[in-house]
Protein backbone atom coordinates (compact mmCIF):
# COMPACT_ATOMS: atom_id res chain seq x y z
CA UNK A 1 0.00 0.00 0.00
CA UNK A 2 1.37 3.39 -0.98
CA UNK A 3 1.91 6.21 1.49
CA UNK A 4 -0.83 8.24 -0.23
CA UNK A 5 -3.33 5.39 -0.03
CA UNK A 6 -2.62 4.94 3.68
CA UNK A 7 -3.03 8.66 4.30
CA UNK A 8 -6.40 8.59 2.59
CA UNK A 9 -7.53 5.60 4.68
CA UNK A 10 -6.37 7.16 7.94
CA UNK A 11 -8.07 10.46 7.11
CA UNK A 12 -11.28 8.78 6.00
CA UNK A 13 -11.47 6.69 9.17
CA UNK A 14 -11.11 9.78 11.38
CA UNK A 15 -13.75 11.75 9.47
CA UNK A 16 -16.24 8.87 9.10
CA UNK A 17 -16.08 8.19 12.84
CA UNK A 18 -16.52 11.90 13.62
CA UNK A 19 -19.21 12.80 11.07
CA UNK A 20 -20.75 9.49 9.98
CA UNK A 21 -21.16 8.28 6.41
CA UNK A 22 -23.79 10.81 5.36
CA UNK A 23 -21.93 13.75 6.87
CA UNK A 24 -18.65 12.94 5.14
CA UNK A 25 -17.73 13.94 1.62
CA UNK A 26 -14.91 12.82 -0.64
CA UNK A 27 -13.69 16.42 -0.56
CA UNK A 28 -13.51 16.32 3.26
CA UNK A 29 -11.35 13.21 3.05
CA UNK A 30 -9.14 14.63 0.32
CA UNK A 31 -8.58 17.84 2.29
CA UNK A 32 -7.69 15.95 5.46
CA UNK A 33 -5.31 13.64 3.54
CA UNK A 34 -3.78 16.62 1.67
CA UNK A 35 -4.53 15.13 -1.75
CA UNK A 36 -6.97 16.09 -4.50
CA UNK A 37 -10.40 14.51 -4.99
CA UNK A 38 -9.25 12.71 -8.13
CA UNK A 39 -6.60 10.88 -6.10
CA UNK A 40 -9.20 9.57 -3.64
CA UNK A 41 -11.38 8.37 -6.52
CA UNK A 42 -8.37 6.80 -8.24
CA UNK A 43 -7.56 4.59 -5.26
CA UNK A 44 -11.05 3.82 -3.97
CA UNK A 45 -13.52 4.68 -6.78
CA UNK A 46 -16.30 5.81 -4.41
CA UNK A 47 -17.09 6.90 -0.88
CA UNK A 48 -19.01 3.64 -0.35
CA UNK A 49 -16.00 1.50 -1.28
CA UNK A 50 -13.78 3.52 1.02
CA UNK A 51 -16.26 3.21 3.89
CA UNK A 52 -16.59 -0.56 3.53
CA UNK A 53 -12.84 -1.06 3.41
CA UNK A 54 -12.34 0.98 6.57
CA UNK A 55 -15.16 -0.79 8.39
CA UNK A 56 -13.79 -4.23 7.60
CA UNK A 57 -10.18 -3.24 8.21
CA UNK A 58 -11.16 -2.15 11.72
CA UNK A 59 -13.76 -4.70 12.72
CA UNK A 60 -13.03 -7.59 10.39
CA UNK A 61 -9.51 -7.87 11.76
CA UNK A 62 -10.74 -7.76 15.35
CA UNK A 63 -13.40 -10.39 14.71
CA UNK A 64 -10.98 -12.73 12.98
CA UNK A 65 -8.65 -12.50 15.97
CA UNK A 66 -11.51 -13.24 18.36
CA UNK A 67 -12.67 -16.23 16.31
CA UNK A 68 -9.13 -17.64 16.19
CA UNK A 69 -9.00 -17.47 20.01
CA UNK A 70 -12.32 -19.29 20.19
CA UNK A 71 -10.84 -22.23 18.29
CA UNK A 72 -8.33 -22.67 21.12
CA UNK A 73 -11.32 -23.70 23.27
CA UNK A 74 -10.34 -22.05 26.58
CA UNK A 75 -12.27 -22.54 29.83
CA UNK A 76 -15.52 -20.63 30.16
CA UNK A 77 -13.96 -18.16 32.60
CA UNK A 78 -11.08 -17.53 30.21
CA UNK A 79 -13.46 -17.22 27.26
CA UNK A 80 -15.53 -14.57 29.02
CA UNK A 81 -12.33 -12.83 30.13
CA UNK A 82 -11.09 -12.83 26.53
CA UNK A 83 -14.40 -11.42 25.31
CA UNK A 84 -14.39 -8.62 27.90
CA UNK A 85 -10.73 -7.75 27.30
CA UNK A 86 -11.18 -7.98 23.54
CA UNK A 87 -14.00 -5.44 23.55
CA UNK A 88 -12.58 -3.03 26.12
CA UNK A 89 -8.97 -3.04 24.89
CA UNK A 90 -9.87 -2.50 21.26
CA UNK A 91 -12.72 -0.07 21.66
CA UNK A 92 -10.64 1.97 24.11
CA UNK A 93 -8.24 2.69 21.24
CA UNK A 94 -11.09 4.36 19.30
CA UNK A 95 -13.80 5.26 21.84
CA UNK A 96 -16.14 6.76 19.22
CA UNK A 97 -16.32 3.64 17.08
CA UNK A 98 -19.24 1.89 18.88
CA UNK A 99 -21.49 4.92 18.43
CA UNK A 100 -20.35 5.18 14.81
CA UNK A 101 -21.17 1.51 14.13
CA UNK A 102 -24.56 1.74 15.85
CA UNK A 103 -25.43 4.82 13.84
CA UNK A 104 -24.43 3.24 10.53
CA UNK A 105 -26.26 -0.04 11.19
CA UNK A 106 -29.47 1.88 11.91
CA UNK A 107 -29.14 4.39 9.10
CA UNK A 108 -32.44 4.41 7.19
CA UNK A 109 -30.84 5.17 3.83
CA UNK A 110 -29.44 1.67 3.73
CA UNK A 111 -26.48 0.48 5.71
CA UNK A 112 -23.09 -0.24 4.20
CA UNK A 113 -22.02 -2.61 6.94
CA UNK A 114 -20.54 -5.61 5.21
CA UNK A 115 -22.47 -8.88 5.61
CA UNK A 116 -19.14 -10.54 6.35
CA UNK A 117 -18.92 -8.53 9.55
CA UNK A 118 -22.39 -9.60 10.67
CA UNK A 119 -21.61 -13.23 9.84
CA UNK A 120 -18.45 -12.93 11.93
CA UNK A 121 -20.45 -11.81 14.95
CA UNK A 122 -22.85 -14.72 14.43
CA UNK A 123 -19.97 -17.20 14.21
CA UNK A 124 -18.40 -15.81 17.38
CA UNK A 125 -21.73 -16.07 19.21
CA UNK A 126 -22.26 -19.65 18.02
CA UNK A 127 -19.01 -20.71 19.70
CA UNK A 128 -19.99 -18.86 22.86
CA UNK A 129 -23.52 -20.32 22.93
CA UNK A 130 -22.26 -23.89 22.57
CA UNK A 131 -19.83 -23.62 25.46
CA UNK A 132 -22.45 -22.03 27.71
CA UNK A 133 -24.84 -24.89 26.94
CA UNK A 134 -22.10 -27.48 27.54
CA UNK A 135 -21.36 -25.91 30.95
CA UNK A 136 -25.06 -25.92 31.83
CA UNK A 137 -25.39 -29.57 30.83
CA UNK A 138 -22.34 -30.42 32.96
CA UNK A 139 -23.97 -28.52 35.87
CA UNK A 140 -20.96 -26.25 36.21
CA UNK A 141 -23.12 -23.13 35.93
CA UNK A 142 -26.78 -22.41 36.53
CA UNK A 143 -29.21 -22.55 33.59
CA UNK A 144 -29.06 -19.23 31.75
CA UNK A 145 -30.02 -18.00 28.31
CA UNK A 146 -26.74 -17.69 26.36
CA UNK A 147 -28.14 -14.83 24.28
CA UNK A 148 -29.03 -12.79 27.35
CA UNK A 149 -25.62 -13.46 28.89
CA UNK A 150 -23.83 -12.38 25.71
CA UNK A 151 -25.94 -9.22 25.46
CA UNK A 152 -25.25 -8.38 29.11
CA UNK A 153 -21.49 -8.77 28.67
CA UNK A 154 -21.36 -6.69 25.49
CA UNK A 155 -23.65 -4.02 26.98
CA UNK A 156 -21.53 -3.60 30.10
CA UNK A 157 -18.42 -3.24 27.96
CA UNK A 158 -19.83 -0.92 25.31
CA UNK A 159 -22.14 1.44 27.21
CA UNK A 160 -19.41 3.73 28.62
CA UNK A 161 -18.25 4.35 25.07
CA UNK A 162 -21.74 4.90 23.69
CA UNK A 163 -22.19 7.43 26.48
CA UNK A 164 -19.12 9.43 25.49
CA UNK A 165 -21.08 12.46 24.20
CA UNK A 166 -22.67 12.78 27.66
CA UNK A 167 -19.39 12.14 29.50
CA UNK A 168 -17.62 14.73 27.39
CA UNK A 169 -20.20 17.36 28.33
CA UNK A 170 -20.06 16.41 31.99
CA UNK A 171 -16.25 16.61 32.04
CA UNK A 172 -16.18 19.54 29.57
CA UNK A 173 -13.74 17.83 27.24
CA UNK A 174 -13.83 16.25 23.80
CA UNK A 175 -10.87 14.11 24.84
CA UNK A 176 -12.33 12.33 27.86
CA UNK A 177 -9.73 9.73 28.84
CA UNK A 178 -11.37 6.35 29.45
CA UNK A 179 -8.09 4.48 29.94
CA UNK A 180 -7.75 4.90 33.75
CA UNK A 181 -10.85 2.85 34.47
CA UNK A 182 -10.40 0.07 31.84
CA UNK A 183 -8.66 -2.45 34.13
CA UNK A 184 -11.09 -1.79 36.97
CA UNK A 185 -13.99 -2.13 34.53
CA UNK A 186 -12.71 -5.55 33.39
CA UNK A 187 -12.56 -6.79 36.96
CA UNK A 188 -16.02 -5.45 37.81
CA UNK A 189 -17.58 -7.04 34.74
CA UNK A 190 -15.90 -10.39 35.35
CA UNK A 191 -17.05 -10.44 38.98
CA UNK A 192 -20.60 -9.51 38.00
CA UNK A 193 -20.83 -12.09 35.20
CA UNK A 194 -19.28 -15.00 37.09
CA UNK A 195 -21.46 -14.34 40.14
CA UNK A 196 -24.54 -14.25 37.90
CA UNK A 197 -23.91 -17.73 36.47
CA UNK A 198 -22.43 -19.66 39.37
CA UNK A 199 -24.51 -22.29 41.09
CA UNK A 200 -25.61 -21.13 44.56
Amino acid sequence: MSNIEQRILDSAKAIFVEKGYEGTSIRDIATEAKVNVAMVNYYFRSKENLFQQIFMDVYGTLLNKAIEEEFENPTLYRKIELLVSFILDNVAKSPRLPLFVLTEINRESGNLVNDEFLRGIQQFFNFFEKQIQDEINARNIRPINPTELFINIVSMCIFPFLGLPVLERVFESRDYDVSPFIDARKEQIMDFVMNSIKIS
Side-chain angles (χ1 to χ4, degrees):
M1 180 180 295
S2 71
N3 180 262
I4 293 175
E5 191 174 1
Q6 187 61 56
R7 279 208 331 261
I8 294 171
L9 281 172
D10 292 342
S11 299
K13 176 183 173 184
I15 297 175
F16 277 135
V17 170
E18 182 69 25
K19 297 183 176 181
Y21 180 82
E22 296 289 359
T24 300
S25 70
I26 290 290
R27 186 168 298 281
D28 291 335
I29 295 167
T31 300
E32 179 71 18
K34 296 181 172 55
V35 299
N36 57 45
V37 171
M39 191 67 72
V40 178
N41 288 326
Y42 170 77
Y43 281 108
F44 298 99
R45 298 191 304 282
S46 71
K47 185 172 78 167
E48 180 176 338
N49 287 339
L50 185 52
F51 177 90
Q52 289 190 343
Q53 180 165 336
I54 288 169
F55 195 95
M56 288 310 297
D57 281 350
V58 172
Y59 282 97
T61 299
L62 298 182
L63 273 175
N64 287 337
K65 182 176 182 295
I67 289 169
E68 286 172 6
E69 289 175 340
E70 286 286 353
F71 278 118
E72 297 174 4
N73 197 30
T75 63
L76 178 61
Y77 181 91
R78 179 59 180 154
K79 184 168 291 188
I80 294 174
E81 186 178 47
L82 284 171
L83 176 60
V84 170
S85 294
F86 168 76
I87 296 172
L88 287 176
D89 289 343
N90 287 290
V91 175
K93 296 174 185 175
S94 299
R96 296 178 185 279
L97 281 172
L99 185 58
F100 162 70
V101 172
L102 187 63
T103 300
E104 293 306 322
I105 287 177
N106 288 289
R107 190 154 49 80
E108 290 183 2
S109 56
N111 75 73
L112 301 174
V113 178
N114 197 301
D115 286 344
E116 182 181 345
F117 169 74
L118 299 176
R119 283 195 298 271
I121 293 178
Q122 183 63 57
Q123 185 178 5
F124 184 89
F125 173 72
N126 289 343
F127 289 130
F128 183 84
E129 182 180 40
K130 182 180 184 306
Q131 185 154 13
I132 291 296
Q133 195 57 57
D134 288 345
E135 294 289 334
I136 292 172
N137 293 340
R139 302 183 185 222
N140 293 328
I141 63 173
R142 72 177 183 84
I144 188 168
N145 185 313
T147 301
E148 292 179 2
L149 178 61
F150 187 81
I151 290 172
N152 286 340
I153 293 170
V154 173
S155 299
M156 285 188 287
C157 291
I158 294 295
F159 178 77
F161 301 97
L162 291 178
L164 268 181
V166 175
L167 294 174
E168 287 173 343
R169 293 185 66 179
V170 169
F171 293 102
E172 299 180 344
S173 170
R174 290 184 59 79
D175 298 311
Y176 172 68
D177 185 6
V178 297
S179 57
F181 89 104
I182 290 295
D183 288 339
R185 186 68 179 163
K186 289 179 187 176
E187 186 174 342
Q188 291 164 3
I189 292 172
M190 288 301 300
D191 285 347
F192 183 89
V193 171
M194 299 313 294
N195 283 328
S196 74
I197 63 177
K198 71 180 183 182
I199 296 176
S200 302

